[in-house]
Amino acid sequence: MAKIAFILLCHKDPESIIRQAQRLTATGDYIAIHFDGNAKQAFFDRLQEKLADNPNVVFTPRRIKCGWGEWSLVEATLLAVESAVKAFPRATHFYMLSGDCMSIKSASYAHDFLDKDDRDYIESFDFFKSDWIKTGMKGDRLHYRHWFNERKHKFLFYASVNIQRRLGLHRKVPQDLQMMIGSQWWCLRRRTVEWILDFCRARPDVLRFFQTTWIPDETFFQTLVPHLVPQDEISTRTLTFLMFTDYGMPVTFYNDHYDLLLSQDYLFARKISPGALELKKRLGELYAEDSAEFSLSNEGSSLFRFLVGRGRIGRRFAPRFWETEATLGRERELLIVVCKKWHVAKRLLAQIRAVTGLPCIEYLFDEETTPLPDLGGIQGSIEKRTRHRRALMRMLFDYYNTDRMVVCLDPNNLDLMRDFFSDRSTTKLLEVQCDFSDEYLLGHAKRVGLAGERTSAETLTSLLPTIRADVVFESDQIRDAGFEGIFRVKEASTADENAARLADFLGVDRQAALKITTNEYLFVD
């Protein structure tokens, strides 16, 4: 069975570290602790005093003064790894943690998970080709030597880089290494960490290179593991659940995130709020519970993006710019059906097509699989269709040899509606307003990835009001846009009432419109 040696780097809150060490070792696992050399000696003395009698705890022989982005973090990690390898010969896996991490599964679940596949878990992406680095310095992290800490000595940091750039002191990476990058939270097998330690002893040139790179804790292990281990024995992922805000800051978890954390396909989570005492207590008790069962839905990241996005009315920094000079054609008429219930809109379009003979295209900007003719590749993906929306519509008008056409849009495509209404062509919009049961909204959440089949009832209940409010918000946005030529049919209205509005929208007589709206299955879920 797997035996885990946790590699813990910490610098504060000794009482929390003591509880964490006691909890993790109580189930038979081990922990190697590096306590930052910048922290108070009294804190370190407290740790040693409380954990001295625990045979499954070891401290590094030296305390490195660590700084964010510096080699010191890797040096401290290597010290802790080496201490764990020597002290715990039965350890099969080495799991990197911080003082802000906590387990979100039981120990037995974690052991079974690691026993299931003989592999290393570490994010490892090509440094130069991947988009793992979103902003800031990229190649310069490696190509220039960094002796100063960017956070503590910003002027010296950038002055040093600029001087090296002017003097042409651009250096190459070690030729036999493919530089990789990823999260610093990894879980490696014993054989892998022993190979890494052997490599460090055999290749001081590589250590010297990384000692003057910037943020090496995101590149050192991530580069060495795929260099030393066959690719089919590496899972390019972390087992620690973490999310980042749009500002690059880690998302912090609180007491009410318990169910959300348990449903994620990870063993630990970062970072837990210091004040989330109830959450820490419940997760601590869970780790020792052998009989605990877990239903994984893994909706955490998509749910976070959804909830954060609701408060942002201005979702784009500037108006769309592509194809503003293009037009669908002054003599053409685009009829847009907007409906949140896609199956209702599709039934309506089928009826319109049968009665009027107009070309009708379903959710072409929302569904990749919408049937479309071959238009030279522009129809190949939703991204291409959206980017070249006016060119796409012109080609569809030409393909069907018509000046009138009906398309479906989801209510969240307000930018598309604005773009089409700003065109010199005639544009009309029919909003189909449906009734939404709780059951339908929960099904919608699952279809779009906000929830999974195993998402807890408590999470679904808390999510429901937000989804309903979002549907109302999208409808209000359409109303507030001030479009001319907008019509509405409602599920609550009679077929006759809806026929009157539909006739005006389509420009057909009342009898033809009534044939469309008398479909008794139109609004059925």
Side-chain angles (χ1 to χ4, degrees), residues 19-55:
R19 289 192 295 271
Q20 188 178 35
Q22 291 171 337
R23 178 177 63 254
L24 296 176
T25 57
T27 56
D29 289 320
Y30 314 103
I31 189 167
I33 300 175
H34 176 272
F35 198 70
D36 196 334
N38 291 306
K40 294 180 180 179
Q41 181 65 37
F43 287 173
F44 184 60
D45 293 340
R46 175 72 173 166
L47 283 177
Q48 289 188 308
E49 177 190 351
K50 285 294 184 179
L51 298 174
D53 296 333
N54 191 328

Side-chain angles (χ1 to χ4, degrees), residues 8 13 44 69 81 103 127 131 144 155 184 202 295 396 424 435 483 497 505 519:
L8 179 63
D13 196 359
F44 184 60
V81 167
S103 57
F127 185 94
D131 63 347
Y144 297 107
F155 174 79
Q184 63 267 51
S295 298
L396 287 171
R424 291 196 294 269
D435 298 331
F483 298 137
E497 291 171 335
F505 171 69
N519 181 353

Side-chain angles (χ1 to χ4, degrees), residues 122-388:
I122 183 170
E123 280 191 354
S124 189
F125 304 100
D126 189 284
F127 185 94
F128 297 103
K129 295 180 181 178
S130 73
D131 63 347
W132 198 88
I133 298 175
K134 303 298 183 186
T135 59
M137 187 178 287
K138 189 171 182 178
D140 288 355
R141 289 191 186 189
L142 307 177
H143 291 147
Y144 297 107
R145 295 168 178 82
H146 301 277
W147 296 285
F148 304 101
N149 187 293
E150 193 265 351
R151 291 190 172 183
K152 294 180 181 178
H153 307 288
K154 189 179 292 289
F155 174 79
L156 293 174
F157 179 89
Y158 288 106
S160 169
V161 172
N162 290 331
I163 290 172
Q164 292 179 72
R165 188 179 288 125
R166 285 199 298 270
L167 295 176
L169 300 178
H170 182 283
R171 64 174 178 174
K172 295 182 179 180
V173 302
Q175 292 186 350
D176 59 332
L177 293 181
Q178 179 184 3
M179 299 304 299
M180 310 294 279
I181 191 168
S183 167
Q184 63 267 51
W185 311 111
W186 41 255
C187 178
L188 304 176
R189 297 167 296 176
R190 184 181 194 90
R191 183 184 64 179
T192 302
V193 298
E194 288 176 343
W195 284 349
I196 290 173
L197 294 175
D198 290 342
F199 181 90
C200 291
R201 286 187 283 267
R203 294 292 301 274
D205 60 310
V206 173
L207 266 65
R208 282 194 300 271
F209 172 81
F210 278 104
Q211 284 169 6
T212 52
T213 61
W214 182 235
I215 320 182
D217 53 315
E218 293 179 352
T219 55
F220 181 78
F221 293 97
Q222 296 77 2
T223 297
L224 293 192
V225 171
H227 180 74
L228 299 170
V229 178
Q231 189 59 48
D232 60 359
E233 296 181 22
I234 302 173
S235 182
T236 308
R237 59 161 295 188
T238 174
L239 296 181
T240 299
F241 179 59
L242 68 161
M243 297 187 296
F244 289 90
T245 68
D246 291 346
Y247 305 101
M249 300 301 293
V251 173
T252 301
F253 299 108
Y254 299 93
N255 290 334
D256 55 351
H257 288 126
Y258 179 80
D259 290 328
L260 172 72
L261 292 175
L262 263 59
S263 66
Q264 307 312 306
D265 186 21
Y266 296 86
L267 304 184
F268 282 74
R270 183 181 187 274
K271 53 193 234 173
I272 309 299
S273 169
L277 302 181
E278 180 185 351
L279 177 61
K280 290 184 175 183
K281 178 176 180 293
R282 295 178 72 184
L283 292 177
E285 293 171 349
L286 176 71
Y287 191 69
E289 190 177 327
D290 289 340
S291 59
E293 296 183 1
F294 301 91
S295 298
L296 305 181
S297 59
N298 228 31
E299 78 283 2
S301 297
S302 59
L303 181 60
F304 174 76
R305 288 193 300 269
F306 171 75
L307 293 175
V308 169
R310 294 315 90 201
R312 297 175 184 168
I313 306 301
R315 304 183 183 203
R316 305 193 183 277
F317 294 105
R320 299 283 193 180
F321 67 87
W322 44 73
E323 297 189 10
T324 54
E325 77 290 346
T327 178
L328 306 187
R330 191 182 298 275
E331 73 286 355
R332 286 172 169 166
E333 185 177 45
L334 179 64
L335 304 172
I336 302 173
V337 175
V338 174
C339 184
K340 197 65 179 178
K341 290 187 176 181
W342 292 8
H343 60 282
V344 173
K346 290 178 180 179
R347 288 185 196 135
L348 181 62
L349 255 65
Q351 290 288 96
I352 293 173
R353 188 184 297 114
V355 173
T356 67
L358 287 173
C360 298
I361 304 174
E362 296 170 359
Y363 290 87
L364 72 166
F365 295 106
D366 300 285
E367 278 191 305
E368 200 89 55
T369 56
T370 298
L372 291 172
D374 186 354
L375 302 174
I378 194 175
Q379 82 292 344
S381 68
I382 289 178
E383 182 182 4
K384 285 185 178 180
R385 298 173 200 171
T386 304
R387 185 185 308 123
H388 307 293

